[in-house]
Amino acid sequence: IVTVIRDITENVRAEQKLRESEARFKETLDLLPTIVVEFDIKGVATYVNSRAYEVLGYDPIDMDLEKGFRITQLLLPEEQEKHVDRFSRMLKGGKVEPIEYRLLRKDGSTIIALVTSFPIYKDGKVIGVRSTATDITKRKRMEDALKESVEKYRLVVENANEGIIVTQDGMLKFVNPRA
């Protein structure tokens, strides 16, 4: 009988530390106020943080990563083409600028998200894409309301029966047509 005994204590400790580190990383991603999603080269989601479920109204069963949930399931039809183009550029290692997408929520409503994406590399080869998406729906609505308000103000001032002159620090800043 020949017995070989190897001390694997260090390996077990290293594996435990790796598991703990991965758990901390995932917990940190779940604390972010933004959606974080990873996709393989076929566009199938391999990771989704909890914020994605909250913002989009889905639960893990709806976005079943084991069954091959695809980002295209969240995109409106008119968003599909620009997504395909961006995704293929990233798979070739190309950079893409942040972009706004309208994403479909489970209840049928939409949000506007600012999406930033980067290729994921392993051994110098692109193996997927990592994206963050920030819900900017409220900001876009406020911007639209501000534009509308500015336009109304402009129309009122330009069409006023009285002359309107605006000065600042003794400098003429604005004069309406009537003035």
Side-chain angles (χ1 to χ4, degrees):
I1 296 178
V2 175
T3 304
V4 176
I5 299 175
R6 269 191 353 204
D7 184 1
I8 60 167
T9 305
E10 283 303 312
N11 290 351
V12 170
R13 285 185 186 144
E15 287 175 11
Q16 180 62 28
K17 285 184 179 182
L18 182 62
R19 280 192 294 276
E20 290 170 1
S21 176
E22 186 174 308
R24 271 195 313 277
F25 177 72
K26 286 182 178 180
E27 288 169 5
T28 301
L29 289 178
D30 284 339
L31 292 173
L32 295 175
T34 189
I35 295 169
V36 179
V37 185
E38 291 183 352
F39 304 95
D40 64 17
I41 59 173
K42 294 178 182 174
V44 175
T46 57
Y47 173 78
V48 177
N49 74 340
S50 63
R51 184 71 177 154
Y53 301 120
E54 293 169 25
V55 171
L56 298 170
Y58 291 92
D59 58 46
I61 294 169
D62 299 321
M63 296 175 91
D64 190 345
L65 302 185
E66 298 298 318
K67 289 185 180 177
F69 185 83
R70 294 179 175 277
I71 184 61
T72 52
Q73 293 171 249
L74 299 176
L75 295 175
L76 297 176
E78 56 270 23
E79 305 279 10
Q80 300 281 337
E81 190 175 321
K82 68 181 176 182
H83 167 72
V84 169
D85 175 59
R86 287 172 52 81
F87 198 78
S88 65
R89 281 190 284 151
M90 284 184 286
L91 292 181
K92 294 174 186 168
K95 283 188 142 187
V96 294
E97 295 296 318
I99 191 170
E100 291 179 11
Y101 280 116
R102 287 180 302 142
L103 302 178
L104 188 61
R105 298 181 79 240
K106 184 179 180 179
D107 66 7
S109 64
T110 60
I111 66 162
I112 301 170
L114 180 63
V115 178
T116 304
S117 302
F118 296 96
I120 301 171
Y121 291 93
K122 184 175 183 181
D123 300 325
K125 194 173 168 187
V126 176
I127 61 164
V129 172
R130 180 174 297 120
S131 296
T132 63
T134 304
D135 183 357
I136 60 169
T137 307
K138 288 179 185 173
R139 185 186 91 191
K140 292 298 279 186
R141 286 185 186 141
M142 286 190 295
E143 287 173 359
D144 290 345
L146 180 60
K147 285 177 189 173
E148 186 177 316
S149 177
V150 166
E151 181 61 17
K152 284 179 185 175
Y153 172 77
R154 185 187 65 75
L155 288 171
V156 167
V157 170
E158 286 182 359
N159 294 305
N161 288 328
E162 296 82 24
I164 299 174
I165 299 171
V166 177
T167 62
Q168 182 179 3
D169 299 326
M171 300 293 294
L172 193 61
K173 295 292 184 178
F174 174 81
V175 178
N176 76 340
R178 182 72 171 178

